[in-house]
Amino acid sequence: MNPTTRPRPYPARRTVLRTAVTASLAAPLLGACVTSGEAGGGAAEGAAKTADNPLGVKADAPLEVVVFKGGYGDEYAIRAESRYTRQYPRARIDHKGLQRVGEAMQPRFVAGDPPDVVDNTGAGRLDVATLVGAGQLGDLGDLLDAPALDQPGKRVRDTLLPGVVDDGTFGGRVVTLNFTYTVWGLWYSKPFFAERGWAYPKTWAEMLTLCAAIRKAGVAPWTYQGKYPEYLNDPLLAVAAKTGGPDLIRAVDNLTPNAWRQPGLTQAATVFAELAGRGYLMAGSEALSHTEAQAAWCQRRAAFLPCGSWLESEQKGVAPAGFDMVMGAVPAAGPGDRLPVTAVQAAGSESFLVPAKAKNPAGGREYLRMLFARESARAFAEANSTLPAVAGATDGLRLGSALGSVRDAVTAAGANTFTYRFRTWYAPLAKAVDDATGELVNRRISPADWSTRIQKAADALARDTSVRKYTR
């Protein structure tokens, strides 16, 4: 997760796929708990639900939309607003494109005066788990069961890629819906590799052999966004997931005792300790921001870069002509892996929600129905070289090397996509994992220390009765 664009699911990332409001910001939300519900006082009275108006939108009710104006801009959101205005010409739309959504929205949630739709993305975004615990988020179930706008015979939920609905589910209720589909992997320049005769590795043993050859050629094998070590957590946790399979992922997310001491995780930590110990990380990477590390990679100072699928959009104007970046699945750890080498970490990002206290909640959900229409998603993909969460949105499009490789990776993975949920559910644990991985790859702690340190944080979280727990 790039700290400004990711979702984290687990990016967003990056920081796509993931940071939350600090404890000092989140605490007032807990102290200002509101009654759960689809709307608070002053909500617009809904209209009758019909085939043409399945969510019961009041035609003249104002609509306020807040969108994170990051790497994707906000033109795609404005386009959906135009469609809303055509459908409801008497509705006035108040659009706000913001950089730090959490800082601007937190006081409004506390005051019980939130917008009707919020794109809760970017650095300092609101902690969804805190909002859920405070009863601040509306249920999107009726949106998901509403007819898709441009796919006859399908509900909205039927048009979404695998895992998108699950990503937004808390305690059995869907409270967020992610517009982009982020895939995490290892990035490289296809022409650069072809020029040097390097083949993308399928196993970790092949990776280490290739890294030795790359370093011998005078290039750093890897760099990473050192100020945000979660970037390196993505491939590390992917190695663990492939080794231990779904059972390992569930144990981590469910705060199962000793989950972080599972062999798959300790082996993955050992793999990355070895990568660092052999000197295969570019010197000085620890001090680099995401933009600095990615710029160095575009300058061919390093061969591999871990990142989510927003990378191409973020590197526009930075990557030189002919760089042709592509993404590969994280190599397999060994022959005993529970998931195939083609398995990829994938999850929704660019997280939209309708607050429980929205004045026009039906309009907020209707706006999302328009945003998640295939036509809207297709236009977004063309403009941003990013995979939307709507299945088939890129069919027939001429895709560049990056987005084409992401789509191919999702196709090759098939049912073997995976994601961890602990990042979304438990922000303090996510930070503990990030910090430990940063220490690991800078050779300040051992793999055993890494495991023990994170397990201690997970145990403390499990014992904390003030934190609502989730299971999968």
Side-chain angles (χ1 to χ4, degrees):
M1 337 174 256
N2 144 355
T4 58
T5 63
R6 192 178 184 161
R8 239 132 147 123
Y10 140 153
R13 237 355 352 309
R14 210 178 55 242
T15 138
V16 265
L17 141 233
R18 288 200 291 223
T19 56
V21 173
T22 62
S24 61
L25 287 176
L29 286 175
L30 293 173
C33 291
V34 298
T35 303
S36 296
E38 291 308 291
E45 181 181 348
K49 294 183 179 181
T50 66
D52 293 331
N53 186 7
L55 297 173
V57 177
K58 188 178 180 182
D60 61 350
L63 182 73
E64 184 180 4
V65 181
V66 171
V67 177
F68 171 62
K69 193 171 182 179
Y72 302 137
D74 60 353
E75 186 59 37
Y76 73 97
I78 294 171
R79 187 181 298 111
E81 291 166 16
S82 297
R83 184 168 184 172
Y84 189 97
T85 301
R86 291 196 300 272
Q87 182 70 22
Y88 304 101
R90 290 187 292 157
R92 178 182 59 82
I93 295 181
D94 179 4
H95 172 91
K96 294 181 176 68
L98 305 178
Q99 289 291 320
R100 300 188 68 84
V101 172
E103 291 180 6
M105 292 300 103
Q106 186 264 349
R108 294 191 58 183
F109 273 91
V110 172
D113 180 37
D116 301 307
V117 181
V118 178
D119 171 13
N120 184 39
T121 306
R125 65 186 174 274
L126 294 161
D127 180 13
V128 172
T130 298
L131 292 173
V132 170
Q136 295 272 22
L137 300 186
D139 194 323
L140 301 180
D142 60 344
L143 163 64
L144 292 170
D145 290 331
L149 276 173
D150 50 8
Q151 298 192 55
K154 291 187 177 182
R155 301 171 299 171
V156 172
R157 70 168 71 244
D158 301 326
T159 69
L160 304 176
L161 287 169
V164 174
V165 172
D166 288 343
D167 287 341
T169 301
F170 287 73
R173 297 171 66 241
V174 181
V175 295
T176 67
L177 201 56
N178 297 326
F179 184 61
T180 63
Y181 197 67
T182 299
V183 185
W184 286 269
L186 301 180
W187 290 82
Y188 63 101
S189 165
K190 190 173 182 179
F192 187 33
F193 269 51
E195 172 190 312
R196 298 300 182 98
W198 299 331
Y200 188 83
K202 293 184 177 180
T203 68
W204 203 258
E206 291 176 3
M207 169 62 79
L208 293 176
T209 298
L210 176 58
C211 284
I214 292 172
R215 187 172 65 176
K216 188 176 181 180
V219 178
W222 285 54
T223 189
Y224 77 104
Q225 304 82 341
K227 289 184 177 180
Y228 310 104
E230 61 184 288
Y231 283 89
L232 213 51
N233 271 329
D234 293 323
L236 189 158
L237 293 177
V239 171
K242 292 184 179 186
T243 301
D247 290 343
L248 179 146
I249 298 171
R250 278 193 294 269
V252 165
D253 287 343
N254 293 345
L255 303 179
T256 301
N258 293 316
W260 288 92
R261 294 192 174 97
Q262 294 176 92
L265 282 157
T266 56
Q267 291 169 15
T270 300
V271 160
F272 277 80
E274 185 175 14
L275 187 76
R278 294 192 181 192
Y280 293 158
L281 297 178
M282 187 179 78
S285 291
E286 180 184 16
L288 300 180
S289 68
H290 64 287
T291 55
E292 292 166 337
Q294 291 159 197
W297 173 69
C298 285
Q299 295 162 6
R300 295 188 171 186
R301 291 166 54 195
F304 289 108
L305 178 83
C307 200
S309 51
W310 61 81
L311 181 63
E312 180 183 25
S313 177
E314 204 164 65
Q315 293 308 103
K316 285 181 179 178
V318 178
F323 189 76
D324 292 348
M325 64 181 73
V326 292
M327 190 198 78
V330 174
D337 282 1
R338 296 277 303 279
L339 291 176
V341 65
T342 53
V344 293
Q345 181 180 348
S349 57
E350 206 73 21
S351 179
F352 283 82
L353 56 88
V354 174
K357 290 288 186 179
K359 295 181 179 63
N360 185 8
R365 293 191 289 274
E366 176 72 355
Y367 168 78
L368 292 182
R369 191 165 75 108
M370 294 176 176
L371 181 66
F372 281 77
R374 180 180 284 186
E375 176 188 1
S376 170
R378 185 181 181 87
F380 173 85
E382 287 184 294
N384 293 286
S385 301
T386 299
L387 196 65
V390 178
T394 60
D395 290 354
L397 293 180
R398 292 186 61 184
L399 304 181
S401 62
L403 184 54
S405 70
V406 171
R407 183 186 62 182
D408 292 347
V410 172
T411 300
N416 293 304
T417 60
F418 61 89
T419 188
Y420 294 82
R421 301 292 303 281
F422 75 90
R423 299 199 69 93
T424 304
W425 290 344
Y426 311 118
L429 179 58
K431 186 178 187 307
V433 177
D434 294 345
D435 292 346
T437 296
E439 295 293 283
L440 174 75
V441 297
N442 285 287
R443 306 174 67 182
R444 291 190 285 267
I445 62 174
S446 69
D449 294 333
W450 178 88
S451 177
T452 298
R453 181 168 164 169
I454 298 173
Q455 188 59 57
K456 182 177 179 180
D459 290 342
L461 179 65
R463 291 191 302 267
D464 189 344
T465 58
S466 70
V467 177
R468 183 175 179 180
K469 308 302 192 300
Y470 300 94
T471 58
R472 59 184 301 175

